[in-house]
Amino acid sequence: MRPRLPRIVTAELLKLATLPVVLSTGVATIAAAPVLAALSGAAAGTHAFGIVAGTVPFLQVGPILLGVLAAGGEYTGGQVRTTLTAMPRRLPVLAGKSAAALLVLLATGTAAAAAGAVTARSGRAPAFGSVHVAMGIVAHLVAMGLLALALAVLLRSVLRPLAALLTLVFVASPLLGGLTEKAYLLPDQAGRLLHDPLPGTTPGTWTGVVVLLAWLTGVGAAATAAFLVRDA
Amino acid sequence: MTRIRHVVAAELSKLLSLPSTAVAFAAMVLGPVAVTFLNARNAAYTDPAQAVLSAAPIGTVGAIVLGVVAMSGEYRSGPQESGGGRQITSTLTAMPHRAWLLVAKAIVVVLLVAVAAAFAFLLALVCAHHVLGGGEAGGVPARLFGAAAYWAFTALIALAVTVFTRSGILPLIVLIANGSLVSLSYLLFKVAPAARYLPDLAGIRLFADEDHLAMADALDPVTGGLVMGAWTTGLLAVAALVLHRRDA
């Protein structure tokens, strides 16, 4: 019988929904967005989505943790063996897991961006601003979450990919940003180009999209290959 | 009487056999060396020692990871096939005196951070001298020790916080996010100046020169070091109490 992807996605969604830590991460992310937007030190006259865009460097912790938990959670206590007993075809499992995570990430990212923007608008923002910026914010958050998922599959752990990505986002990226102009090749800085582009023409939004897709494809391909070939 | 020497040896062997320890060690050594090299090559600093000191913050991440995994490894569930047990039960069976256990863990963490700091700063100094040529600044050796002390305090705070949470996720997020260049404490400091007594900001001048610091009126190195040390001691004391009172 051919594996039915919708069923696998449902199973994975159910798994995510029953992990208390996933639920609290999602809620905390959505709750953090308005708080960060209210505390933001953005210049007066910045549009609401512009203010939210400024908080994304902190906000992206939420999607990163969601992505890591979605995949890495399988490896604490050996749940992955139960999963693969129920559904031995590994490619559909990975596809279903990614689709489920994508849905959760989209919902969390959209809700967080909306909550942040409404707070900013009711505060001092003169207008909501461009819908492109809003889409850029959500795309950045979702992409970081998917990257986290791929890295967690590759490293088969929760803490290792989490430490790696947090280091990238909070330490390596700001540090290298001050040292080299090529820092936009890092995933989080490429994501920033989607909603908070640097003044000037290059590198622009589409450069950011291409760099992010390259990271997702690269790490995703390595994770898929490892998941297909390796012992669980 | 418990021989602390044996407990330390056991904890050292346990921590050294964790793969994450190797990663943390690499982050503490290679991170600062790489950043020193970039600093020196971009001629961001003319003084080699200053180039090394400005690379010290990146090693803090390694120290955080080391402090966290020293404790979080105890609480991770094993494979279901072998009962899904956690290591903490074996550890406490072998070593029922919980306060000494925490002391041993703290000693091991400080030991490893010290070794990593020695390697990191020597390699980075050699690297910076090679790129920049000579040049000496007063008070720099003291500040390299200050940087190592900052790493050690940070690792111990990570250890203590992981005792409270029994999982590495929260301490990793809070401490690494706070170790960033735009740290939460720094944002808080801009609103409330009393935030300079928070552990990470209090100790900042242990390694950072006043001229290279975005923060105005940070605590001086000695006061700041003492404040950070007091935070560390306090958190470890509470951690010992929690570990002692709570079910494993």
Side-chain angles (χ1 to χ4, degrees):
Chain A
M1 192 183 90
R2 279 185 60 228
R4 301 231 175 106
L5 200 55
R7 288 193 183 178
I8 305 175
V9 177
T10 316
E12 292 294 336
L13 276 176
L14 203 61
K15 235 188 292 188
L16 283 179
T18 48
L19 276 175
V21 64
V22 168
L23 192 67
S24 43
T25 306
V27 171
T29 309
I30 298 168
V35 177
L36 287 171
L39 291 176
S40 150
T46 312
H47 289 178
F49 285 127
I51 291 178
V52 178
T55 67
V56 167
F58 288 112
L59 207 54
Q60 61 190 345
V61 175
I64 287 176
L65 184 54
L66 281 178
V68 164
L69 288 170
E74 295 267 353
Y75 294 98
T76 51
Q79 196 195 347
V80 66
R81 288 189 268 290
T82 314
T83 303
L84 291 178
T85 309
M87 181 59 227
R89 297 195 190 184
R90 298 193 176 191
L91 201 57
V93 168
L94 202 55
K97 190 176 277 303
S98 311
L102 180 66
L103 291 175
V104 172
L105 287 167
L106 264 176
T108 312
T110 312
V118 169
T119 312
R121 179 73 182 86
S122 63
R124 57 213 167 85
F128 272 110
S130 147
V131 73
H132 289 146
V133 177
M135 284 163 61
I137 293 170
V138 176
H140 177 165
L141 294 176
V142 170
M144 290 309 288
L146 290 179
L147 189 65
L149 181 137
L151 200 61
V153 171
L154 196 59
L155 298 178
R156 290 187 283 194
S157 143
V158 170
L159 289 188
R160 275 174 244 170
L162 186 64
L165 284 172
L166 290 175
T167 308
L168 170 79
V169 165
F170 286 115
V171 183
S173 171
L175 209 62
L176 291 175
L179 287 175
T180 153
E181 294 185 348
K182 297 280 180 204
Y184 69 86
L185 294 175
L186 295 172
D188 64 316
Q189 302 237 3
R192 241 184 107 177
L193 293 175
L194 304 186
H195 51 79
D196 197 7
L198 305 164
T201 47
T202 54
T205 307
W206 290 107
T207 318
V209 173
V210 170
V211 172
L212 261 185
L213 283 179
W215 272 99
L216 282 176
T217 318
V219 181
T224 309
F227 191 66
L228 290 183
V229 172
R230 207 165 46 181
D231 283 355
Chain B
M1 198 203 125
T2 314
R3 297 262 170 85
I4 187 73
R5 198 158 42 91
H6 294 168
V7 190
V8 170
E11 289 302 325
L12 186 64
S13 137
K14 218 183 325 185
L15 193 54
L16 282 180
S17 55
L18 286 175
S20 307
T21 305
V23 176
F25 212 82
M28 276 190 281
V29 176
L30 299 181
V33 173
V35 173
T36 304
F37 178 71
L38 282 174
N39 270 340
R41 217 190 45 175
N42 286 9
Y45 299 91
T46 47
D47 175 29
Q50 198 57 55
V52 174
L53 282 169
S54 68
I58 197 161
T60 316
V61 177
I64 292 169
V65 171
L66 194 66
V68 167
V69 296
M71 203 64 213
S72 73
E74 298 274 357
Y75 288 104
R76 219 181 42 205
S77 309
Q80 275 163 351
E81 292 86 337
S82 50
R86 297 168 310 158
Q87 196 182 354
I88 187 77
T89 46
S90 327
T91 302
L92 292 179
T93 309
M95 175 59 205
H97 201 307
R98 299 185 181 191
W100 280 118
L101 178 70
L102 192 63
V103 170
K105 276 190 189 293
I107 291 175
V108 168
V109 164
V110 170
L111 202 68
L112 287 183
V113 168
V115 173
F119 270 113
F121 294 144
L122 279 178
L123 277 174
L125 269 178
V126 169
C127 175
H129 268 285
H130 188 70
V131 179
L132 288 173
E136 280 303 330
V140 162
R143 272 196 272 135
L144 285 178
F145 279 109
Y150 189 89
W151 288 9
F153 284 144
T154 308
L156 289 177
I157 289 173
L159 175 71
V161 175
T162 313
V163 171
F164 304 144
T165 59
R166 287 192 272 200
S167 143
I169 295 176
L170 205 62
L172 273 185
I173 291 181
V174 172
L175 293 170
I176 296 184
N178 211 28
S180 72
L181 296 186
V182 277
S183 75
L184 294 175
S185 327
Y186 180 63
L187 294 180
L188 198 62
F189 168 73
K190 289 206 285 192
V191 186
R196 67 167 174 271
Y197 289 99
L198 288 174
D200 58 324
L201 290 186
I204 198 112
R205 287 219 20 227
L206 282 175
F207 61 89
D209 187 359
E210 216 166 358
D211 306 336
H212 293 93
L213 202 60
M215 194 181 146
D217 55 275
L219 297 178
D220 69 82
V222 176
T223 318
L226 287 175
V227 171
M228 197 179 184
W231 273 101
T232 310
T233 319
L235 284 170
L236 277 177
V238 179
L241 196 69
V242 167
L243 193 65
H244 183 71
R245 300 284 305 170
R246 196 171 58 182
D247 282 354

